[in-house]
Amino acid sequence: MIMDHDGVTDRLEPFRRELTAYCYRMLGSAFEAEDAVQETLLRAWAKFDGFQGRSALRTWLYRIATNVCLDMAPAAQRRARPMDLTSPCPANAPDLAQLQENVWVGPVPDERVLSGDPAEVAVGRESIRLAFVSALQKLPARQRAVLILREVLAWSAAETAELLESTVASVNSALQRARATMSAQGPAGDVLDPLDETQRALLARYVRAFESFDIAGLQRLLHEDAVLNMPPFQMWVRGVVELGEWWQGAGCGCAGSRLLPVAANGSPAFAQYRPAEDGNGWTPWGITTLEIVDGRIATMTNHMDVDRLFPLWNLPPRLPADPAA
């Protein structure tokens, strides 16, 4: 929270959530996005006397946020998913090498980046999907900004050019190149729709199968070429048969897990707790986001930085043993 300065804080704070969403799409990390927004608001607070309403406050804040993000993301590609970096590994010989957190696109709680009426929330969910944010990271940073401003936030070419101190022709050219890159990323997954009975039934079946560790039941819910990836491990496994071997082999520690639904990246997601080593309840294992395509699960991403991620969702550090068990 920034300090108050003659009521400036009250004028800036209402923009925090939408700026966080913008910075998350730019940076691919909830933690970097929060840092970027805090820096944006601090700069705005410090310079507010010189602002004098020469442009709309929202436009001015987005200009500051864009510059902060461009400073933080100078490379053509910043964060990625395991599928962007390596080939799939055999389930019976997984590469368990770990890479640093700053390599990976991370998840974000919906409540930190989504607000507004149901229609706005639905649009917002589409643009924070993990696959979409991962694809954005493959764009040069300024193309990334142009695509988000034009396609997600519906800014005009003139508004975008003014914000980036560029020209309309340059913005349109950048948008065309960005669209071409994004179109090569494959089909979009289904966003979370809490009212969709078919989706709810699929997720209920997934939870039942996972918690009972019914591997055949899990396989029936998957696309034939479904993918499992687990940052910070660079390994990933693809295919129903390989995934069955994974769960029976290296992934057998998931047996007995419990899943709590969470709102993440506009997609179905769960906090996974594994049986505690001391036998007393369950302890955090990861935040799993699911990508559903045409009614089946296409991608399962298990984010395992639990020390930072579970507090981000205000999740309990342990689930107590079930007295009915």
Side-chain angles (χ1 to χ4, degrees), residues 6-83:
D6 298 329
V8 172
T9 300
D10 290 340
R11 297 186 63 182
L12 298 180
E13 280 296 326
F15 294 94
R16 182 180 289 273
R17 187 172 295 179
E18 66 174 280
L19 288 172
T20 302
Y22 176 62
C23 293
Y24 173 70
R25 296 177 185 111
M26 284 289 293
L27 300 171
S29 163
F31 303 105
E32 284 192 352
E34 290 193 348
D35 290 344
V37 171
Q38 190 66 9
E39 176 64 20
T40 296
L41 296 181
L42 285 171
R43 290 187 190 183
W45 180 85
K47 299 177 180 179
F48 199 81
D49 287 343
F51 168 54
Q52 297 178 343
R54 288 190 296 270
S55 62
L57 177 57
R58 183 171 182 258
T59 301
W60 185 60
L61 289 173
Y62 270 86
R63 180 178 294 116
I64 297 173
T66 300
N67 288 331
V68 170
C69 290
L70 291 177
D71 288 342
M72 294 175 68
Q77 178 174 337
R78 290 202 5 104
R79 292 174 176 263
R81 298 200 288 179
M83 297 84 78

Side-chain angles (χ1 to χ4, degrees), residues 5-278:
H5 178 62
D6 298 329
V8 172
T9 300
D10 290 340
R11 297 186 63 182
L12 298 180
E13 280 296 326
F15 294 94
R16 182 180 289 273
R17 187 172 295 179
E18 66 174 280
L19 288 172
T20 302
Y22 176 62
C23 293
Y24 173 70
R25 296 177 185 111
M26 284 289 293
L27 300 171
S29 163
F31 303 105
E32 284 192 352
E34 290 193 348
D35 290 344
V37 171
Q38 190 66 9
E39 176 64 20
T40 296
L41 296 181
L42 285 171
R43 290 187 190 183
W45 180 85
K47 299 177 180 179
F48 199 81
D49 287 343
F51 168 54
Q52 297 178 343
R54 288 190 296 270
S55 62
L57 177 57
R58 183 171 182 258
T59 301
W60 185 60
L61 289 173
Y62 270 86
R63 180 178 294 116
I64 297 173
T66 300
N67 288 331
V68 170
C69 290
L70 291 177
D71 288 342
M72 294 175 68
Q77 178 174 337
R78 290 202 5 104
R79 292 174 176 263
R81 298 200 288 179
M83 297 84 78
D84 301 319
L85 303 180
T86 65
S87 299
C89 67
N92 59 5
D95 179 359
L96 297 180
Q98 298 187 41
L99 301 182
Q100 294 296 316
E101 183 277 336
N102 61 9
V103 172
W104 307 117
V105 174
V108 68
D110 284 9
E111 67 177 12
R112 292 181 181 250
V113 292
L114 298 180
S115 62
D117 63 34
E120 290 175 322
V121 170
V123 172
R125 283 183 178 138
E126 177 69 28
S127 64
I128 61 167
R129 289 183 304 105
L130 200 63
F132 181 79
V133 174
S134 299
L136 284 173
Q137 306 312 301
K138 298 178 182 180
L139 300 174
R142 289 181 68 85
Q143 280 188 33
R144 198 180 311 156
V146 168
L147 186 83
I148 297 168
L149 292 167
R150 294 282 285 116
E151 301 278 84
V152 176
L153 301 178
W155 288 40
S156 69
E159 291 170 326
T160 303
E162 179 183 359
L163 183 144
L164 294 173
E165 298 180 341
S166 182
T167 65
V168 169
S170 179
V171 163
N172 287 336
S173 177
L175 179 60
Q176 185 176 9
R177 294 195 301 274
R179 283 172 171 167
T181 300
M182 296 292 286
S183 67
Q185 300 310 309
D190 302 336
V191 298
L192 178 65
D193 183 354
L195 301 180
D196 186 308
E197 291 293 339
T198 301
Q199 191 179 95
R200 289 171 61 183
L202 173 67
L203 296 177
R205 290 169 62 197
Y206 172 79
V207 171
R208 286 195 301 271
F210 198 94
E211 291 190 339
S212 64
F213 214 51
D214 175 4
I215 295 172
L218 283 169
Q219 290 176 303
R220 286 193 290 271
L221 305 178
L222 306 177
H223 277 278
E224 189 64 31
D225 60 350
V227 165
L228 169 69
N229 65 113
M230 301 171 57
F233 297 107
Q234 63 181 7
M235 59 139 284
W236 58 286
V237 179
R238 179 172 62 193
V240 170
V241 174
E242 288 287 321
L243 285 167
E245 292 185 15
W246 165 263
W247 282 314
Q248 294 178 72
C252 65
C254 289
S257 292
R258 293 292 179 267
L259 300 181
L260 294 184
V262 295
N265 290 86
S267 304
F270 299 90
Q272 180 184 347
Y273 290 78
R274 276 191 174 187
E277 292 184 1
D278 61 10

